[in-house]
Amino acid sequence: MTVVCNATPLINFAAINRLDILGAVFGQIVIPQAVYEKTTFTGFPGSEFVLQAIASEWLQVRSISSIELNIPPELDKGEREAITLAIETGETRILLDEREARQVAQSLGLQVIGTLGILLLSKNKNIITQVKPLLDAMINTTQYWVSRSLYEKVLQQAGELIE
């Protein structure tokens, strides 16, 4: 099972040293060159974990031929390349967090999963026992922003919200 990934989910999991969750949930992950560059430059917290995942070969870097014409230039380079890579390789699933990029990917027929969905999937597959500590760590480490209502909704879906 292969999935294409944009930078944000990679950054969120690498920054808390839990990139292994992505490998455990999806098996094989493919990233475009722009995402590789964004997640491995010096000073990025967690870049060594991205490089280790590439060395372990469950995370692979692929080049694209050219940006898909239907993708608006307002999206960042990594998002545009990730969506294009999914279309070029025929992968139907893509890991994306940013709202505009998610909307574009969905309009092109891709199934989008974000960081919160990955956390819920990993709990459902018994890869992790709790969502809250990891989500809190992402919020504190990477400044990953989640609205209060969405935060509570995710914890409720995970069975971790105590009323």
Side-chain angles (χ1 to χ4, degrees):
M1 177 157 42
T2 303
V3 66
V4 174
C5 189
N6 185 39
T8 307
L10 218 51
I11 290 167
N12 287 335
F13 285 92
I16 62 165
N17 192 10
R18 289 307 312 265
L19 207 51
D20 61 293
I21 291 171
L22 292 179
V25 172
F26 300 106
Q28 190 72 50
I29 296 177
V30 181
I31 59 172
Q33 189 65 36
V35 170
Y36 170 78
E37 290 165 9
K38 189 172 184 175
T39 57
T40 57
F41 71 92
T42 314
F44 161 68
S47 61
E48 69 273 17
F49 302 121
V50 174
L51 293 170
Q52 286 169 9
I54 291 168
S56 301
E57 297 184 355
W58 63 262
L59 181 64
Q60 295 182 345
V61 183
R62 297 244 180 92
S63 298
I64 58 163
S65 54
S66 64
I67 297 286
E68 183 71 30
L69 292 174
N70 302 354
I71 301 173
E74 299 81 53
L75 299 186
D76 85 12
K77 188 176 181 193
E79 293 162 351
R80 292 194 331 265
E81 284 194 14
I83 293 168
T84 299
L85 184 60
I87 292 165
E88 281 187 0
T89 59
E91 299 301 339
T92 56
R93 295 178 312 152
I94 187 166
L95 309 181
L96 280 170
D97 277 318
E98 293 73 21
R99 180 181 294 143
E100 296 82 7
R102 291 171 67 95
Q103 290 169 344
V104 170
Q106 287 168 337
S107 75
L108 294 170
L110 299 174
Q111 179 190 348
V112 179
I113 307 165
T115 295
L116 300 175
I118 297 164
L119 287 170
L120 289 170
L121 261 176
S122 61
K123 182 169 182 181
N124 291 343
K125 291 181 174 224
N126 295 315
I127 294 163
I128 61 172
T129 55
Q130 283 188 296
V131 167
K132 189 179 187 308
L134 299 176
L135 180 52
D136 288 346
M138 287 175 186
I139 290 167
N140 295 329
T141 308
T142 67
Q143 279 72 54
Y144 179 59
W145 188 85
V146 180
S147 70
R148 187 82 203 147
S149 61
L150 186 55
Y151 178 85
E152 290 173 358
K153 182 180 175 188
V154 167
L155 293 185
Q156 187 176 15
Q157 287 178 345
E160 298 175 29
L161 187 64
I162 294 128
E163 297 292 332

